[in-house]
Amino acid sequence: YESGTKESIQSELYSLFHGPLKTILRANVESSVSHDELVHYICEATHDLSSFPPEFCSQLFSSAADSQDSDILKGTQIIINTVVSGYRDYLRFEEPSETLIQWGRMRGAMLALLRSCANPGFSELAMHAVTALNSAECDSVMAHSISSDEPRNSAIFHSLVVSEEVIPAGAFLIVVRDVIENINAGAEQWSNDQVALAVDSCISVLLGCHQSVFAALKSCCMNIWEDPRPTIAEAWFCSINSLIIAHKRYLLPDSEQFQHIVGQSIALCIHLIMSTKVEKEYPTTGRIDGFMSVDGPQSLALVEFIELVLTVEGIGTPVFTLTGMIF
């Protein structure tokens, strides 16, 4: 009886879980639905999905979805594409609209869904989603830096949309950090092969978006905005720090991909430090020069990164050799 009741509840929950997906699919093909209405429907449906238990949400990114669950795959792709395209579609706006604020809320729901899908690493679809989201966010930063010679307002990197008051820039990099931290915290649950595959999935995400991330952090931008670069920098180095710790803890082999991403991060670290002017180099009228500030939590992540690279046995020498090749 108890088993039958549990199965009945599971079946009912599964049916309810498909409700928001069906809403997304209907709205996406309905010609009478405007763009603003479509974003609203997708946003609300995404929030509804994120309220379900992790075992349900993880199905959205499952690589084993069969034909009868095609709605799940289609709905997930629409959610991903809507968040990714927002970084481009709203670029020309200088003040956030209600739709843009809704889109910002959707980022938060997307974040919750991605956090629930790790088991223990990312599936192929989740890897694609996190890579695309991080690249789109950082490409938007770059687009802001080259779209105008004059300072302009940003509707995306605004206190009501993408900011520390809502969901900060770099949040999808923090997902990578969280996955690695969960692996570090639950070592007993996973075999060595599972840990290696999970860590490799995180490295693949970081490799897939690192060029966009680095370009954004090195950019010079004079916009009137909630500068996204400090939180992106903090998120990047927190992720790399957790990755290095995982490699040390599990004695994972230093693959070429691992060496490359850590070596590139050292080069980025040096660039950010060297780009910072000393006090006397700033004009008396102010300190604004368009480069990212290292005054904040991001500097603590940088310091921890340098410490790890210098002190973790087996990383420093080969990585510094690779860094020398980069320069």
Side-chain angles (χ1 to χ4, degrees), residues 297-311:
Q298 65 273 24
S299 63
L300 298 178
L302 280 167
V303 169
E304 182 185 3
F305 171 70
I306 294 170
E307 180 183 0
L308 285 169
V309 170
L310 290 175
T311 59

Side-chain angles (χ1 to χ4, degrees), residues 107 111 115 134 137 167-176 178 231 235:
R107 289 177 67 249
L111 197 61
R115 281 179 168 147
N134 282 312
E137 185 164 82
I167 302 293
F172 297 112
L173 285 170
I174 288 296
V175 170
V176 180
D178 290 346
T231 52

Side-chain angles (χ1 to χ4, degrees), residues 108-147:
M110 186 79 210
L111 197 61
L113 293 176
L114 288 168
R115 281 179 168 147
S116 69
C117 77
N119 188 35
F122 293 114
S123 67
E124 185 175 349
L125 180 56
M127 287 167 55
H128 165 76
V130 180
T131 302
L133 289 162
N134 282 312
S135 296
E137 185 164 82
C138 292
D139 289 345
S140 182
V141 174
M142 284 298 297
H144 278 77
S145 70
I146 63 176
S147 61

